């Protein structure tokens, strides 16, 4: 779990994780909180291990947690999400039975009413085929707070990418896992609960837009990346909300992305194109 300045949320999540029948060991990475998060998490009866890098690592904080994990599989929670009872046992059994499984994207239920996250139907209707040696429909995306990974596969793929920092970081990891031969699948029988704070996070959509363009430059053909960039620039010229900030952020991080550009293998690029055509 990664957290930053959301003390009430993180303690609620620790309560939920402590009640799970699987009793999973928990690692919390504090991304530079200025409130008393670290002391409160350490005092919680769950006994979570707390890592304090001393600054905000964004999604890369999850990489730090995985490196310190001692289990073969790692389930991610954010400080506003947790797992349904039995979900982790089901996931572990699936990883045991399917050696090529690298990441399992769960079904996500949102809020106290358990509403279906819209991403559930997107994943369930993925146009990618189901592989015989995997337990669900193949996907190239997931929700970070509702995913379980094989630790070795995650480390093999390099984890979350530092250029993206946070928001919309999942697609790039899915690409990198698939490029190395690991299966990425949606399994709706494994359930996570997500209870985001009302109002969302200001500026998040612009960062997600930025990261979608950077992901294209990092892994997709130049023509695809250029199309994404031109579309963003046109949206900024029209004054669309968030587009200007997304464009500025993209240009600031683009040199670093180009230095680490590694186009996808053709079979994964073909899958990505299928998903492009299926997108609304």
């Amino acid at each position: 779990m990664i957290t930053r300045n959301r003390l009430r949320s993180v303690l609620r999540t620790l309560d939920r994780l402590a009640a799970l029948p699987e009793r999973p060991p928990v690692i919390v990475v504090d991304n530079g909180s200025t409130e008393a998060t670290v002391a409160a998490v350490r005092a919680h009866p769950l006994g979570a291990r707390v890592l304090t890098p001393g600054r905000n690592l964004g999604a890369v904080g999850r990489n730090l947690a995985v490196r310190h994990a001692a289990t073969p599989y790692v389930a991610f929670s954010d400080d506003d999400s947790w797992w349904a009872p039995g979900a982790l046992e089901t996931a572990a059994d699936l990883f045991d039975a399917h050696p090529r499984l690298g990441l399992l994207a769960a079904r996500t239920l949102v809020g106290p009413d358990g509403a279906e996250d819209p991403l559930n139907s997107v994943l369930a209707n993925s146009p990618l085929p189901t592989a015989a040696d995997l337990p669900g429909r193949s996907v190239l995306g997931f929700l970070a707070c509702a995913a379980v990974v094989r630790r070795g596969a995650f480390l093999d793929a390099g984890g979350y990418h530092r250029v993206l920092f946070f928001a919309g970081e999942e697609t790039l990891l899915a690409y990198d896992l698939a490029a190395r031969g690991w299966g990425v699948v949606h399994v709706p029988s494994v359930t996570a609960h997500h209870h985001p704070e009302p109002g969302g996070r200001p500026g998040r959509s612009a960062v997600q837009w930025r990261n979608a363009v950077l992901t294209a430059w990092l892994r997709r053909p130049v023509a695809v990346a250029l199309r994404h960039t031109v579309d963003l620039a046109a949206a900024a010229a029209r004054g669309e909300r968030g587009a200007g900030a997304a464009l500025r952020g993209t240009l600031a991080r683009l040199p670093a992305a180009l230095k680490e550009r590694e186009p996808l293998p053709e079979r994964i690029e073909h899958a990505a194109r299928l998903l492009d055509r299926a997108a609304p």
Side-chain angles (χ1 to χ4, degrees):
M1 182 197 310
I2 55 175
T3 189
R4 185 172 188 268
N5 289 335
R6 294 173 63 169
L7 181 56
R8 185 179 67 175
S9 289
V10 73
L11 293 179
R12 176 184 61 180
T13 296
L14 291 176
D15 288 342
R16 298 285 187 161
L17 295 177
L20 292 179
E22 296 95 335
R23 302 293 185 187
V26 175
I27 298 174
V28 176
V29 178
D30 180 71
N31 269 334
S33 294
T34 56
E35 56 188 29
T37 302
V38 172
V41 172
R42 284 179 171 153
H44 192 279
L46 175 62
R49 182 178 182 182
V50 184
L51 304 178
T52 54
R55 64 188 190 281
N56 187 359
L57 299 178
V60 175
R62 299 187 187 107
N63 300 357
L64 179 64
V66 173
R67 289 198 297 270
H68 281 82
T71 53
Y73 317 128
V74 178
F76 293 112
S77 291
D78 282 350
D79 53 19
D80 58 2
S81 70
W82 51 85
W83 293 91
L88 299 183
E89 182 179 6
T90 299
D93 288 345
L94 291 171
F95 277 96
D96 286 345
H98 300 87
R100 195 169 68 85
L101 178 58
L103 184 145
L104 184 157
R107 175 189 182 210
T108 308
L109 302 180
V110 181
D113 296 330
E116 294 279 345
D117 190 295
L119 184 61
N120 293 339
S121 62
V122 174
L123 297 177
N125 294 302
S126 167
L128 305 183
T130 300
D133 63 338
L134 293 174
R137 184 171 291 278
S138 294
V139 295
L140 285 177
F142 59 95
L143 188 63
C145 68
V148 187
V149 298
R150 188 181 301 275
R151 180 175 181 271
F154 183 93
L155 296 174
D156 179 41
Y160 289 100
H161 203 289
R162 62 181 182 83
V163 168
L164 303 186
F165 187 70
F166 190 71
E169 68 272 19
E170 297 94 341
T171 296
L172 182 56
L173 177 57
Y175 284 167
D176 289 347
L177 285 163
R180 288 159 178 78
W182 295 105
V184 181
V185 303
H186 175 52
V187 179
S189 61
V190 177
T191 301
H193 294 276
H194 186 201
H195 286 228
E197 294 289 336
R201 297 184 180 183
R204 185 181 179 91
S205 61
V207 177
Q208 290 175 316
W209 202 343
R210 175 199 78 189
N211 284 347
V213 178
L214 290 171
T215 295
W217 280 110
L218 282 159
R219 296 293 181 264
R220 302 295 302 279
V222 171
V224 174
L226 281 172
R227 184 175 71 247
H228 281 280
T229 308
V230 169
D231 288 347
L232 174 57
R238 292 191 299 269
E240 289 190 22
R241 184 177 181 180
L247 181 60
R248 291 190 295 272
T250 297
L251 295 177
R253 292 171 181 261
L254 186 57
L258 293 176
K259 285 182 180 178
E260 300 191 35
R261 177 172 166 78
E262 185 179 337
L264 295 171
E266 178 52 37
R267 61 186 176 82
I268 308 304
E269 174 56 30
H270 175 71
R273 289 196 299 270
L274 287 176
L275 292 169
D276 288 346
R277 289 196 289 269

